[in-house]
Amino acid sequence: MRADQITVDAVGVTTATFDTFPVELPGPLDRLVRTHLTRRGQASYVSRPDTWLFPGGIPGKHLATENVRAQLVERGIQPMAARNAAMFQLAASMPTPILAEVLGLAPNTATRWAALASRDWSAYTAQRDTHLRR
């Protein structure tokens, strides 16, 4: 994620833009992100400022995902458990084709998540077809 994807408006509302969709950050997270922006430091080189929100040690590269995950785990945050809980909730609340499209998942992967969440969306396509024909 690049630092320019984070916006703080005049009222103090912090948003993170994913693709073209700004998402308002909730209470504690918005403060953490704003604090990070003011003291995120530089990568281990001085040739030019870095545009990444979490700059890595290689010029022009972001901090590796595994480094962020390890730092979260070190602080008692289990990102995989949170990710899985979010995936279960999403798979239970939306049809598999939409889940696959929104998250960029392969259809088979979305179907497996729906099965794990004990949701059968197999009738969704037929229901949608019937609804569209009215």
Side-chain angles (χ1 to χ4, degrees):
M1 175 172 252
R2 295 180 324 275
D4 64 1
Q5 289 175 258
I6 305 297
T7 307
V8 181
D9 70 12
V11 189
V13 175
T14 306
T15 58
T17 301
F18 299 95
D19 192 20
T20 58
F21 304 102
V23 176
E24 186 176 336
L25 301 179
L29 181 59
D30 71 340
R31 288 187 300 278
L32 285 171
V33 169
R34 284 195 313 258
T35 300
H36 178 71
L37 283 171
T38 60
R39 60 182 174 104
R40 66 189 181 102
Q42 296 291 324
S44 61
Y45 54 92
V46 293
S47 61
R48 67 185 195 292
D50 203 313
T51 60
W52 294 108
L53 183 59
F54 302 102
I58 299 172
K61 298 288 184 179
H62 56 78
L63 190 61
T65 304
E66 179 54 31
N67 292 359
V68 175
R69 189 203 65 77
Q71 290 177 27
L72 290 172
V73 169
E74 215 174 80
R75 288 163 176 78
I77 299 169
Q78 299 297 323
M80 186 59 77
R83 176 190 178 275
N84 287 347
M87 289 296 289
F88 280 127
Q89 191 274 328
L90 288 171
S93 65
M94 70 177 65
T96 307
I98 295 172
L99 178 68
E101 183 179 337
V102 168
L103 297 181
L105 300 174
N108 288 342
T109 303
T111 301
R112 284 195 303 271
W113 277 106
L116 287 170
S118 299
R119 288 303 299 250
D120 181 14
W121 292 103
S122 59
Y124 168 73
T125 306
Q127 289 171 349
R128 181 181 163 118
D129 185 54
T130 303
H131 175 73
L132 291 175
R133 288 179 190 219
R134 289 184 201 174

